[in-house]
Amino acid sequence: MNTVFRKKMIAFTLLLCALTANTMNINARGYDDNDKCSSGLHITGRAEKTVKSDRAVLQLTLSVSGDCYKEMIQKIDHQIEELKTIWIGMDVKPNMIHVDNRKRIRISDLEYGSDKKQNKFSIQYTIVVTMDNLDMVPAVQNTTNTLVEKGFVFSEQSVSYLYSGVAELQKELTKEALKDAEKTATENARVLGLSIEKTPNSVQQSTLSCCSTYDNPKPYENGWNSSTEIENKFSVLVDMNYSFKNDGKNPSSEQ
């Protein structure tokens, strides 16, 4: 390696320290398909898109308690059917109402820390209602809560949102991230008077992350399956490695 090329490499290293906005670093060693040592760039391509969720998920826990197990089962089954009838009447699709049949049962004779008798049994079912019309969520939730006056007990309740097209979105953003990585590598190499090979040495698997566009405390990896916000920013990152060309134009080929 001649003196000119060494100076270029030193300048290149200093450039990397300054360009903190770009995820780029100089490799002391790069590897091609034959594991040959070569100078190159490690680049992280990025692509982002803000999308609006197209599904709302209401999850609640229905609870009953008493001393007669058989009567309790009948009671909670009746309440579940009543809930289904109400939701379907509000245009919730029947196949989007899911009841987890793995009921949670608690058996107790005495109240904790005392000798006072309490209900012997407690049974809980988790119910998940998915809606593809986000505008109906407040009405469904409010109507459900009014059933408390009829003796329904909801020990837990929450609403979250998701985007059903996330798989296709990741493919779309991955293509943009690949182009971004190639552009970034080309531009930074050009600053040094170098050029890179058109085809990267390696391309890592893309990673998808998601963060709320409202509070955005920090991105959460693989959090795209659900969110408490309707709109969220999705990001895809792709790590790639490029080799410098040795075609007589780069300093490495100068005599």
Side-chain angles (χ1 to χ4, degrees), residues 211-212 214-220:
C211 63
S212 168
Y214 298 99
D215 46 18
N216 190 17
K218 69 175 182 177
Y220 47 98

Side-chain angles (χ1 to χ4, degrees), residues 21-139:
N22 293 325
T23 309
M24 184 189 78
N25 57 64
I26 183 74
N27 289 333
R29 283 173 57 92
Y31 297 94
D32 59 17
D33 293 338
N34 296 319
D35 200 30
K36 295 178 180 178
C37 182
S38 61
S39 298
L41 292 174
H42 172 77
I43 297 292
T44 299
R46 176 188 295 272
E48 296 180 340
K49 186 175 183 179
T50 298
V51 299
K52 182 179 180 180
S53 300
D54 58 359
R55 296 287 189 275
V57 180
L58 171 63
Q59 180 171 313
L60 50 86
T61 301
L62 180 64
S63 303
V64 297
S65 57
D67 294 324
C68 179
Y69 184 77
K70 183 178 180 180
E71 291 179 358
M72 292 171 57
I73 290 294
Q74 292 176 344
K75 178 179 179 180
I76 199 167
D77 287 344
H78 175 76
Q79 290 184 345
I80 290 173
E81 290 305 315
E82 186 172 349
L83 284 169
K84 288 182 178 179
T85 300
I86 292 173
W87 291 330
I88 293 173
M90 299 182 71
D91 294 330
V92 176
K93 296 180 175 62
N95 63 343
M96 300 180 82
I97 302 174
H98 300 281
V99 179
D100 188 348
N101 291 322
R102 298 170 297 177
K103 53 182 173 291
R104 298 192 296 276
I105 304 172
R106 188 185 68 196
I107 303 174
S108 177
D109 286 325
L110 299 175
E111 194 170 299
Y112 180 76
S114 73
D115 57 0
K116 181 181 178 181
K117 291 283 289 185
Q118 66 171 2
N119 291 324
K120 186 176 293 185
F121 299 102
S122 174
I123 302 176
Q124 296 181 332
Y125 274 101
T126 298
I127 306 174
V128 178
V129 183
T130 304
M131 293 161 275
D132 52 13
N133 179 359
L134 274 60
D135 294 333
M136 68 189 299
V137 176

Side-chain angles (χ1 to χ4, degrees), residues 12 15 24 41 184-196 244:
F12 181 54
L15 172 66
M24 184 189 78
L41 292 174
T184 303
T186 301
E187 291 177 348
N188 284 289
R190 187 180 296 121
V191 171
L192 300 170
L194 305 173
S195 59
I196 59 171
F244 293 121

